[in-house]
Amino acid sequence: MYGYFQVPYMGWRYTSPREGIAQLVEDSVSKLPTQVEWSLDTTRRNWILLPTRILREAQGLADPAFSEVVDHINVHDQEFCLKALSDFRLIIMRLQQIEDSWDERP
């Protein structure tokens, strides 16, 4: 749509998350051979999994500069966006495997 790659991040909300879910997600992502560092922010109502660089540069999700930082990276650092997109595919596949294993439990 914009003619350039965009840095990915995802968010979700649990009505009542199972105990240990955040740690499970963090541990699973940290064990993947990612090209950029990823963080799970659970400080707000919506949990956000995103490249740590965004959190550092925006000084957190609550900072009004968050969207500006994302836009700046999108426009000026396509290499980072491509690495993050590659990681994102791995992360999605891993989270899907975790979900499938939870579904198989009695």
Side-chain angles (χ1 to χ4, degrees):
M1 181 171 160
Y2 295 105
Y4 53 80
F5 296 101
Q6 297 179 41
V7 66
Y9 56 92
M10 78 167 107
W12 61 96
R13 180 183 306 175
Y14 289 103
T15 53
S16 56
R18 292 180 185 173
E19 185 152 337
I21 289 288
Q23 191 63 50
L24 178 66
V25 170
E26 289 174 335
D27 290 348
S28 298
V29 171
S30 71
K31 291 176 184 171
L32 291 172
T34 58
Q35 299 177 66
V36 301
E37 182 183 349
W38 290 80
S39 296
L40 177 64
D41 186 294
T42 60
T43 60
R44 303 175 67 115
R45 188 172 183 182
N46 292 334
W47 292 6
I48 307 289
L49 180 65
L50 70 167
T52 304
R53 174 183 171 185
I54 296 172
L55 284 177
R56 276 195 312 264
E57 291 183 18
Q59 300 175 3
L61 296 175
D63 192 303
F66 177 82
S67 61
E68 293 171 17
V69 167
V70 171
D71 185 57
H72 180 80
I73 292 170
N74 288 343
V75 172
H76 299 287
D77 197 344
Q78 285 291 280
E79 183 178 342
F80 180 83
C81 292
L82 286 170
K83 287 178 181 179
L85 284 165
S86 177
D87 289 353
F88 201 62
R89 289 182 189 96
L90 286 174
I91 291 168
I92 295 294
M93 288 189 314
R94 181 63 188 132
L95 293 178
Q96 183 63 53
Q97 290 171 343
I98 291 169
E99 180 184 31
D100 292 346
S101 70
W102 278 88
D103 290 344
E104 293 170 4
R105 291 184 175 188

